[in-house]
Amino acid sequence: MAPKVLVSDKLSETAVQIFRDRGIDVDFEPALGKDKDALLARIGEYDGLAIRSATKVTDKILEAATNLKVVARAGIGTDNVDKVAASKKGVIVMNTPFGNMITTAEHAIAMMFAVARQIPEASASTHAGKWEKSKFMGVELTNKTLGVIGAGNIGGIVCDRALGLKMKVIAFDPFLSQKKADKMGVEKVELDELLKRADFITLHVPLIEQTRNILSRENLEKTKNGVRIINCARGGLVDEEALADLLKSGHVAGAAFDVFAVEPAIENPLFGLPNVVCTPHLGAATTEAQENVALQVAEQMSDYLLTGAVQNALNMPSVTAEEAKVMGPWIKLAEHLGAFVGQLTEGPIKAVNILYDGVASEMNLKALDCAVLAGLMKPVLPDVNMVSAPVVAADRGIKTSTTTQAKGGSFDGYIKLTVVTENRERSIAGTVFSDGKPRFIQIKGINIDAEIGSHMLYTTNNDEPGIIGALGNTMGAHGVNIANFTLGRKDTGGDAIALLYVDNPIPDTVLKALCDTGLFNSVKPLAFEVQ
């Protein structure tokens, strides 16, 4: 059955056609997102939900979304999606951060020109029949210093455009390396230095705890006299009341804002002040940008629902289509390793340690970590998946650590999982052979070569004669067919293990009969999702 997607906001018809062309069953109902009751009644039908800003994906909507696997926002902001509830539900939340980068950067440049030359006020004055040529004395951008707070995707484009305007560009960004700054042609500085030197300041950072009010009253007072400030990023980055006071005093010569602390902005301290340019969150409002983000949403959702590729996810590591092809068997191996230990572990898990060796160490480790945790917890929580597993593990206080190493054995690469409980540690390692099939290669430090079957029996015992006979006789006496088996031991007379492959789940009567022989230290049936 084809995956089913609901488009509940206004989206390009071209994007809707992409879903159809990719074999997705799509319902285009752009008015549905505004009717929360109607959406609640319908959401259970769909595997995917494509939205813009009108649809509110609340915990109540997610609770009713019994089949939902992905929510994708055409745009950057996902404030209208309860991402915590989505993660716990195992629903991927995507956005499209690159579709409107150029548009937003161009708007910031346009706003900088507008405030530098007082264009909106001059336009209004001229429309009113006045000819106040001497009133609107502006400043040039050439040779002025632009301070860019946040030199990421959008900020980087602004830097490039500003250099083309022959501005001097200085940038504050904790994640900007000196090498990258040199390549961009900008000077990397600390925030205080930027505030002191910049003639224009433009912000291009997300609104998080570290950036909230980054231009506070204190920092605004550190700015150069006559500075002009542009914010086309997020409301809440600037103390608007403090900025209004500094505009009135003349310390700040002008400001251009596309975003506000409270939106829709019906009233604001900046409104009505001279040389303040305000627009109603138009950063992404171009025909090209809206088309781009819509097409990206359709492609991203289709890729995930059809191939498992994850792009621009906010609550799960991204996995490209190319990575998905290569990593598919390794992700399945990671799940199987987790499932093996999860089915054996009874007490609370304290820590999970994962070692990646060789080729495995060069893969998308965050995705593999998620697969391990999902497999580990699925025996207790059947609905857990790669999205919800890290959240569930964190809620339960499970500490996860990851280490990597170069190829250290006869395999091109392998994954070793060690799980720590209050009373013991369990470890298992596995690899993927050239046939693409995952294999267990070590259990309890005992080397083996074991394929993974849907129904298996795992036993531990002291290495002594009669074990194979006891297994065969007991299983045969109860009508259980052994399809194959793998044995392993450390030393003669030491710890030994057996893995039996059977056709169906093993009845409790068989497990009891094996225990009653007194030959086994433990007897445990195992089940794996084998394709």
Side-chain angles (χ1 to χ4, degrees):
M1 183 180 295
K4 193 172 183 180
V5 165
L6 171 66
V7 179
S8 62
D9 280 342
K10 292 181 180 179
L11 215 63
S12 163
E13 287 281 1
T14 307
V16 177
Q17 189 60 44
I18 287 175
F19 284 119
R20 296 189 178 115
D21 292 344
R22 297 287 300 273
I24 304 287
D25 184 3
V26 58
D27 286 340
F28 180 44
E29 301 191 32
L32 192 61
K34 296 179 181 178
D35 188 339
K36 60 183 180 180
D37 293 330
L39 179 62
L40 187 68
R42 295 278 303 281
I43 192 63
E45 305 173 28
Y46 298 97
D47 301 288
L49 177 63
I51 65 171
R52 291 192 63 195
S53 58
T55 302
K56 310 301 180 187
V57 187
T58 63
D59 57 349
K60 190 174 180 181
I61 293 292
L62 288 162
E63 189 62 33
T66 51
N67 294 314
L68 196 63
K69 300 173 181 65
V70 56
V71 174
R73 161 75 156 93
I76 296 177
T78 54
D79 297 341
N80 52 325
V81 181
D82 188 331
K83 290 180 282 294
V84 174
S87 297
K88 290 182 177 179
K89 184 79 174 178
V91 175
I92 291 177
V93 180
M94 297 176 174
N95 67 352
T96 54
F98 307 116
N100 54 13
M101 290 191 306
I102 290 176
T103 292
T104 304
E106 286 186 355
H107 193 64
I109 295 292
M111 294 285 268
M112 185 160 57
F113 270 115
V115 75
R117 302 302 295 268
Q118 303 180 66
I119 291 173
E121 290 175 84
S123 175
S125 170
T126 307
H127 274 292
K130 303 175 184 178
W131 193 258
E132 301 177 299
K133 186 174 180 180
S134 61
K135 180 179 178 180
F136 301 109
M137 184 64 63
V139 295
E140 293 182 356
L141 300 186
T142 300
N143 291 325
K144 296 298 190 300
T145 298
L146 174 64
V148 180
I149 299 177
N153 294 317
I154 296 172
I157 297 172
V158 170
C159 291
D160 179 68
R161 301 297 191 268
L163 290 168
L165 294 170
K166 306 302 181 184
M167 299 184 79
K168 300 172 184 176
V169 182
I170 58 178
F172 166 70
D173 188 327
F175 300 104
L176 178 65
S177 67
Q178 187 60 54
K179 183 178 179 180
K180 180 69 180 295
D182 292 342
K183 186 176 180 180
M184 293 170 63
V186 306
E187 181 184 350
K188 176 179 164 65
V189 297
E190 294 301 317
L191 181 59
D192 279 355
E193 180 77 5
L194 183 148
L195 298 174
K196 182 173 68 174
R197 292 172 51 190
D199 299 299
F200 293 80
I201 296 174
T202 181
L203 298 105
H204 300 286
V205 293
L207 180 63
I208 57 177
E209 199 54 42
Q210 293 89 332
T211 62
R212 187 179 299 278
N213 267 359
I214 190 169
L215 290 187
S216 61
R217 182 179 294 274
E218 179 184 0
N219 282 338
L220 286 168
E221 289 174 348
K222 295 178 182 177
T223 57
K224 186 175 183 179
N225 190 52
V227 69
R228 290 168 173 84
I229 295 172
I230 298 94
N231 185 12
C232 294
R234 282 286 178 266
L237 299 175
V238 182
D239 184 333
E240 293 165 351
E241 288 190 4
L243 177 59
D245 290 342
L246 289 169
L247 282 159
K248 292 171 185 175
S249 73
H251 178 81
V252 176
F257 271 51
D258 185 48
V259 290
F260 303 90
V262 177
E263 294 184 1
I266 307 302
E267 56 183 27
N268 188 279
L270 300 177
F271 290 175
L273 296 180
N275 205 20
V276 174
V277 182
C278 295
T279 51
H281 208 141
L282 298 180
T286 63
T287 302
E288 294 88 348
Q290 294 310 304
E291 186 76 1
N292 287 340
V293 295
L295 300 185
Q296 283 185 21
V297 156
E299 292 288 1
Q300 288 177 194
M301 291 183 71
S302 298
D303 283 344
Y304 175 66
L305 292 170
L306 296 174
T307 71
V310 180
Q311 300 175 64
N312 301 320
L314 303 177
N315 59 346
M316 180 183 170
S318 290
V319 179
T320 65
E322 291 73 19
E323 284 180 318
K325 292 176 185 176
V326 175
M327 289 181 60
W330 288 92
I331 287 176
K332 184 54 66 176
L333 169 67
E335 291 176 347
H336 289 332
L337 294 173
F340 184 97
V341 179
Q343 291 176 82
L344 297 181
T345 303
E346 296 176 355
I349 297 171
K350 295 176 62 178
V352 175
N353 305 313
I354 310 169
L355 169 66
Y356 296 103
D357 172 274
V359 295
S361 69
E362 300 169 1
M363 295 184 180
N364 186 331
L365 301 188
K366 289 185 178 180
L368 291 173
D369 287 350
C370 292
V372 168
L373 293 173
L376 182 64
M377 289 182 283
K378 190 163 290 216
V380 178
L381 301 168
D383 293 332
V384 77
N385 64 12
M386 288 177 61
V387 179
S388 58
V391 178
V392 174
D395 286 347
R396 296 188 170 207
I398 299 173
K399 295 181 179 179
T400 303
S401 63
T402 297
T403 55
T404 60
Q405 66 182 28
K407 182 175 179 292
S410 56
F411 302 102
D412 289 337
Y414 65 84
I415 303 173
K416 182 176 182 180
L417 169 64
T418 303
V419 173
V420 181
T421 65
E422 192 68 44
N423 301 318
R424 63 181 302 168
E425 289 187 5
R426 291 186 186 276
S427 65
I428 182 171
T431 191
V432 174
F433 280 11
S434 58
D435 60 4
K437 292 183 178 179
R439 302 277 212 294
F440 294 145
I441 59 173
Q442 189 183 87
I443 300 174
K444 289 183 63 177
I446 299 172
N447 293 330
I448 58 169
D449 177 8
E451 291 190 21
I452 302 159
S454 298
H455 305 289
M456 303 178 73
L457 178 72
Y458 171 67
T459 66
T460 64
N461 56 275
N462 297 324
D463 180 41
E464 58 185 70
I467 296 298
I468 297 176
L471 285 169
N473 289 335
T474 304
M475 302 290 266
H478 288 81
V480 178
N481 184 52
I482 300 175
N484 202 347
F485 66 90
T486 299
L487 303 174
R489 68 179 185 181
K490 272 189 178 178
D491 303 299
T492 303
D495 286 343
I497 61 173
L499 279 171
L500 276 67
Y501 305 77
V502 296
D503 298 325
N504 298 294
I506 302 169
D508 290 341
T509 52
V510 177
L511 303 176
K512 183 177 185 305
L514 287 170
C515 292
D516 288 345
T517 65
L519 296 172
F520 300 97
N521 299 325
S522 64
V523 176
K524 187 71 177 180
L526 301 172
F528 298 94
E529 296 178 3
V530 178
Q531 295 177 343

